[in-house]
Amino acid sequence: MQKLFFLSFVFLLSCSVGKSPNKFSDAGIVKIYDLKDRRATDSLLIFLRSENVSYRREAALAFASVQDSLASLSLGTALLEDPDNEVKRNAAFSLGQTGGTQAVNALIPAIEISDRNVLSEVLEALGKTIQKEDIKILTDFNSKDTLIEEGQARGFYQLSLRRKADSTVTIKASEYLDSKKSFQTRLAAANYFARSQKLEGENFNERLINAAQMDVHPEVRMASISGFRHIEVTKALPVINKISISDKDFRVRISAIRACQNFPLMETQDIVFKGLEDPDEMVRVAASEVIRSKIEKPLNRLSPSISSANNTRVKANLYAALLKSESPEGFVQEIIDNYQTASPYYKANLLSALGEAQGANQAKAFEFLSQELLNDKNEKVITTSAADAIVSINRNFMKQASAQGGWTVYPPLSASPTTMDPTLFIGVYKKAIAKGDEAVSGIIAGALMNKDLHYKEQLTDITFLKEAKAKLSLPKDLESLQPLENAIAYLEGREKPAPLKNKFNHPIDWETVKTINSDQKIEIKTSKGTIVLKLLIEDSPGSAINFVELVKRNYYDGKFFHRVVPNFVIQTGCNRGDGYGGEDYSIRSEFSLRKYNTGSVGMASAGKDTEGTQWFITHSPTPHLDGRYTIFAETISGMEIVHKIEVGDKIIEARLKD
């Protein structure tokens, strides 16, 4: 018996010793993913015709990231003729990602395919690609299977993102809100209403209101209430009020507060100001953002709310609302006084508030903002916030000047607390750009090409912009180079340049990829607690190994969460701390069939193939990111910490977990 046990143990050991931690022990799969990373369409097409079904599957999926229309004909052939259903499904996804006439021509006949997984993907891909004249193909399709119905609902959602939906789509989407439908079907239908720009009629009102209040899943409730802008105010506000107070999930309450942005603040102020008292900080932040964005007239309850606010982001937003609506004397100085002892991110928020200054307050705010913009000792987040705020004052100043009889070029004046002059902005802009900060250069370049600011009439010498551009390079400075190129072209009277693109510059280290377990965990210790991620090395090897390499270098230790959008994302990984930072390389976008759900971890980017060091975690499902931002990990524990993270919280340590 002991001998039998020993032999069994040896057999099991021999089976496990040679086992690879992930699928990249296969040289063919490595080759396919490397060709995808290099965007090598011709070579990938060879694998799409391989006798090895695994290679055909991987090649078909690879084109979802490559997105080359030259592959559409071959992908269409794979969709309609390949004997393997997984190849078909991957081909359908890639055609949806690529778009174009050839993609549509392959997807339309594919609705005859019987496999439910393939057909579900085909229906969603049709929503990404068809034009209005073909919408009936999607709406008339009779989905008799839950999975297929989910694909059709996601197809409707994709039409809403593309502004292609019509009333027939709306009617069908409203039917899919029914509680008897699957969770994924209801979620897609709710997001259809959340993302649609303008819907006609009222035949969906009752279903949408019912879903917002009664659906068992908070994800459906929050998406449904985001669609309330399509409902008449007298019907919408009582429901919004009820949900904003009573729903147990703070994310739903955030969505209810945000729904108030679609109506005048004078009608929603009771709801929104009540939101400032919510026990959850992110709800209070959302309420303050709505007040700031919607305020037009003075409100007596605003000043007391500032005094009682104990969250710095809330307080700064309320200061901004006050300056925007009343321009009371003394409040600019109060903000400046608070600024002196504030933390860097609170300082940044206060500077942003000063950007809302109106009338007589603009000169004093401009003077202080200019001082902080040109102060070399300030943190980057303060510098960029000052630049943004000055541009905001610039826009407001010119708007007021136009309202008072048109824009006029005034003679140069010296800055003083009570005098404003358009040429003052040019002087500060030139000084700021001369300092060479790439983010500031990009922000100011964006202002200089704003037609409403009339810089084309004022700036005859743009040498300072060309000198700033010469200091920047790809791939690191893409976000600043593009607006600089656009501004120079605009000021010289040329056509807008083509978008800049990063060349392939950071090959994947495949030998290291092969050593990473398919369920590798990463532990992120933050100032609020610990979050554990599971890497998706087999879905997104380039992004995952980039993350691993940065973790091994302790790159993320000490980095701030510089961006937190309530019930959307927390974002980190910026070496500047303001969202404009990164290293001098970029990696490729990697798109898979995986969807953005609660706790998905994605790579931040400035467009396709511009990813680097910044990443984010989602608070809730965010389907508008699907197929647009790489998902390279999932949160497996610590979502309660994710929900608590605020701007300015810090990563203490990030480590690979055994």
Side-chain angles (χ1 to χ4, degrees), residues 247-261:
D247 201 289
K248 294 181 180 180
D249 194 302
F250 79 97
R251 298 172 300 168
V252 182
R253 300 199 302 276
I254 288 172
S255 294
I257 294 295
R258 283 219 184 102
C260 292
Q261 290 185 116

Side-chain angles (χ1 to χ4, degrees), residues 523-543:
E523 187 175 75
I524 311 290
K525 294 181 180 178
T526 78
S527 50
K528 287 286 176 65
T530 299
I531 303 164
V532 179
L533 312 178
K534 175 187 172 183
L535 284 182
L536 303 173
I537 190 75
E538 295 193 341
D539 285 359
S540 309
S543 304

Side-chain angles (χ1 to χ4, degrees), residues 208-226:
L208 195 60
I209 289 171
N210 185 66
Q213 295 183 97
M214 305 300 294
D215 199 282
V216 296
H217 288 279
E219 294 84 359
V220 176
R221 298 200 302 275
M222 67 182 75
S224 296
I225 200 167
S226 295

